Amino acid sequence: MHTPLLIVPSRPAALELDGPTVGRVLPYVRRRMVGPFIFFDHMGPATFAAGRGMDVRPHPHIGLATVTYLFEGVIDHRDSLGVFQPIRPGEVNWMTAGRGIAHSERTPDTLRATETHLHGIQLWVALPVEHEEREPSFDHYDSEAIPRFDVEGSKVRLIAGSGWGRTSPVITLSPLVYAELFVEAGAMLPLPDDHQELAAFIVEGALSVEEQRVEAGNLIVLDERPPLRAETAAHVMLIGGAPLGKRHIWWNFVSSSRERIEQAKRDWREGRFAKVAGDEVEFVPLP
């Protein structure tokens, strides 16, 4: 039986962000996850006046990995492991929360003297059950480490996982694909065929699928792999992978266990998470 095409719109969401527009894509009422991807935010494009910037105060995570990928701008990452790492366009910050981590993300002070811009994608990847309580870790990958290649005329950057016969060096804990594609007008979007679940988010441009035009800011869930054609030159982010099973999500916590999330709430409320090194004063209170 043919399943109706699901198109997930980005919706305005309130985050710990000072100014930029954020579009929440996942989770969605009709689709909670795509493969292991359980959270998808489109940040910006945003402009900050001189003296201002993005300030995501220290906050906690469990049971997931956060993935930051920028098209424009710079963000300083700090976390409770003591890591300080600026991230720039094309680089990958992959933070595995495991049993618990806290971090902050801010525009560097050195850039706030002038107008700054920010545009990118923030994802959460749910962890397999056997890794939900692993030790937290942080990995950074320079832009040059991310594979770049052409597929059927489209330019592909394989940010993480595998696809099109290639594998990214970014370490993941379950089978997945996360890729950035630039497709010329009139061309077909090349899709990898080795993942059970797949979805395409249009950053810029427009795609057509089943005689329907889909504009930027929408995620197309590709359960039946319909052909996608670029109506205009298009910038597309592809996510997918093997489903992990049901996950509970509350605020910044993801787990296969509701009880574990309740414990994480208590731990943050009572100050049992380690402090973010270099950003110890401010924090986001438990909602």
Side-chain angles (χ1 to χ4, degrees):
M1 179 182 296
H2 176 73
T3 302
L5 183 69
L6 177 59
I7 298 174
V8 179
S10 59
R11 294 91 58 202
L15 278 186
E16 271 289 306
L17 291 173
D18 182 11
T21 299
V22 179
R24 175 69 41 78
V25 181
L26 293 176
Y28 183 58
V29 64
R30 294 175 57 196
R31 188 67 179 237
R32 307 298 293 177
M33 301 172 66
V34 175
F37 294 91
I38 193 167
F39 179 96
F40 188 120
D41 263 6
H42 180 205
M43 302 185 294
T47 298
F48 298 99
R52 299 180 65 84
M54 184 182 87
D55 285 296
V56 182
R57 296 174 294 165
H59 59 281
H61 292 287
I62 67 163
L64 56 88
T66 68
V67 187
T68 304
Y69 186 81
L70 297 180
F71 310 130
E72 186 177 16
V74 183
I75 295 174
D76 279 349
H77 163 96
R78 291 180 172 84
D79 65 37
S80 53
L81 298 177
V83 173
F84 167 70
Q85 177 63 60
I87 181 169
R88 299 173 177 86
E91 301 176 347
V92 178
N93 272 11
W94 193 289
M95 185 185 76
T96 303
R99 62 178 175 78
I101 197 169
H103 75 134
S104 66
E105 294 172 299
R106 300 181 186 266
T107 299
D109 290 340
T110 54
L111 298 183
R112 295 184 188 232
T114 60
E115 180 180 275
T116 58
H117 304 275
L118 181 68
H119 190 199
I121 303 293
Q122 180 76 56
L123 301 178
W124 295 354
V125 180
L127 302 180
V129 171
E130 63 271 23
H131 290 292
E132 286 186 316
E133 296 299 318
R134 68 180 283 129
E135 290 296 309
S137 60
F138 178 88
D139 295 291
H140 174 82
Y141 300 85
D142 290 337
S143 177
E144 293 74 18
I146 306 304
R148 307 181 189 200
F149 48 91
D150 291 345
V151 180
E152 299 173 15
S154 295
K155 297 187 180 303
V156 178
R157 300 194 80 230
L158 185 56
I159 299 168
S162 61
W164 305 279
R166 311 288 186 97
T167 301
S168 169
V170 173
I171 297 170
T172 68
L173 297 173
S174 65
L176 59 84
V177 62
Y178 182 28
E180 180 180 26
L181 297 89
F182 294 92
V183 190
E184 294 183 358
M188 304 303 293
L189 186 78
L191 300 176
D193 56 10
D194 46 358
H195 295 284
Q196 183 176 342
E197 298 184 353
L198 209 60
F201 178 77
I202 308 169
V203 179
E204 295 177 298
L207 302 178
S208 63
V209 54
E210 297 179 351
E211 301 182 355
Q212 180 177 354
R213 181 182 173 106
V214 185
E215 302 287 347
N218 289 285
L219 180 81
I220 306 171
V221 178
L222 303 171
D223 286 337
E224 297 193 0
R225 303 295 192 273
L228 300 174
R229 179 180 178 274
E231 290 291 303
T232 68
H235 180 191
V236 178
M237 304 302 286
L238 197 70
I239 60 172
L244 294 182
K246 184 176 180 179
R247 289 294 185 275
H248 304 287
I249 180 170
W250 187 89
W251 193 39
N252 299 315
F253 305 137
V254 169
S255 180
S256 58
S257 163
R258 290 188 185 276
E259 291 75 19
R260 181 65 182 89
I261 288 178
E262 291 303 315
Q263 180 63 55
K265 292 181 187 181
R266 292 191 293 271
D267 289 343
W268 184 248
R269 184 187 300 115
E270 296 169 14
R272 286 196 287 267
F273 278 79
K275 296 284 188 180
V276 172
D279 202 345
E280 296 93 347
V281 178
E282 295 185 308
F283 66 94
V284 182
L286 192 77

